[in-house]
Amino acid sequence: MFTGIIESFGTIKKITREGSNVHFDLDSSITSELRVDQSLAHDGVCLTVVHVSPENYRVTAIDETITKTNLAGWNVGKKVNLERCMPANGRFDGHIVQGHVDQTGVVKQIVDQDGSWIFDFEFEQSTGNVTVEKGSITINGTSLTCFNSNPGKFSVAIIPYTYEHTNFHQLQVGDLVNLEFDIVGKYIARMIKGY
């Protein structure tokens, strides 16, 4: 389980395809603290560390993960948001995040507000995922609060600290982002639908 509070960047150093799997080699300021079998969220995608060396570490994504997230567009040099699993005695500074991306969304507009930024996103609403005004959303692994919540679209406000310490400063209009919708909202929506 994660909280959506980004702790570090990982920089992609190498991408290797092996059958339908893709291996990503990254380096990070927390590389020396990682161990094999550890779960680590990469832009909100929970991936297992399969190899660690002094210089970098490796995670592997299967085809299902590649097709449901923005990983297919990753390239060498890209910075991704990293978060290790929350320790049992940790604080919930964000919200409950599983690291299971529901779908991707698209950056539709970025408005510089002279000290903060407003990001507008759209997503395919036929999946049944919803946001609520002032509800939680995870974008590229970052716990944020929605507003301007409408079917298939919402906005978030980004303060300078978040802008600098996550990869929001790299996002451009048209970019795909990973979305994980609030777990409580997903369960309620499913109960209402009766399945």
Side-chain angles (χ1 to χ4, degrees):
M1 183 169 22
F2 305 94
T3 67
I5 304 300
I6 303 306
E7 84 182 276
S8 179
F9 289 119
T11 303
I12 300 173
K13 295 298 185 182
K14 183 179 177 185
I15 300 173
T16 310
R17 299 187 183 281
E18 182 180 18
S20 62
N21 297 333
V22 181
H23 305 294
F24 296 96
D25 292 349
L26 303 94
D27 72 359
S28 170
S29 61
I30 62 171
T31 297
S32 63
E33 302 171 44
L34 300 178
R35 67 182 196 289
V36 172
D37 288 337
Q38 186 172 12
S39 294
L40 186 64
H42 295 72
D43 271 4
V45 182
C46 180
L47 298 170
T48 302
V49 175
V50 297
H51 176 76
V52 179
S53 73
E55 297 79 32
N56 54 47
Y57 69 94
R58 173 176 281 190
V59 292
T60 301
I62 62 172
D63 187 59
E64 169 78 2
T65 303
I66 297 294
T67 58
K68 294 278 177 71
T69 66
N70 69 0
L71 272 67
W74 285 9
N75 48 42
V76 171
K78 177 178 172 57
K79 287 197 298 188
V80 299
N81 295 326
L82 299 180
E83 182 190 359
R84 288 176 282 188
C85 291
M86 186 182 123
N89 64 347
R91 292 180 183 270
F92 273 110
D93 288 330
H95 71 280
I96 296 172
V97 177
Q98 294 182 297
H100 303 158
V101 171
D102 294 302
Q103 66 184 99
T104 56
V106 179
V107 180
K108 297 305 288 185
Q109 180 174 258
I110 303 170
V111 179
D112 187 335
Q113 295 206 307
D114 193 26
S116 64
W117 294 262
I118 303 296
F119 283 74
D120 296 332
F121 296 92
E122 287 186 1
F123 60 94
E124 176 53 54
Q125 61 179 330
S126 65
T127 58
N129 291 314
V130 297
T131 61
V132 296
E133 198 73 12
K134 303 298 186 263
S136 297
I137 186 75
T138 307
I139 303 171
N140 280 354
T142 308
S143 174
L144 295 162
T145 302
C146 298
F147 65 96
N148 293 334
S149 181
N150 287 289
K153 60 178 70 172
F154 65 92
S155 302
V156 296
I158 304 296
I159 62 172
Y161 182 89
T162 303
Y163 189 80
E164 295 165 12
H165 290 87
T166 69
N167 60 13
F168 266 84
H169 64 269
Q170 292 184 319
L171 289 180
Q172 298 178 3
V173 171
D175 283 353
L176 278 182
V177 295
N178 294 321
L179 300 177
E180 181 181 331
F181 295 83
D182 182 61
I183 185 68
V184 176
K186 287 191 286 191
Y187 275 108
I188 291 172
R190 185 149 195 167
M191 285 188 288
I192 289 171
K193 290 177 183 175
Y195 60 87

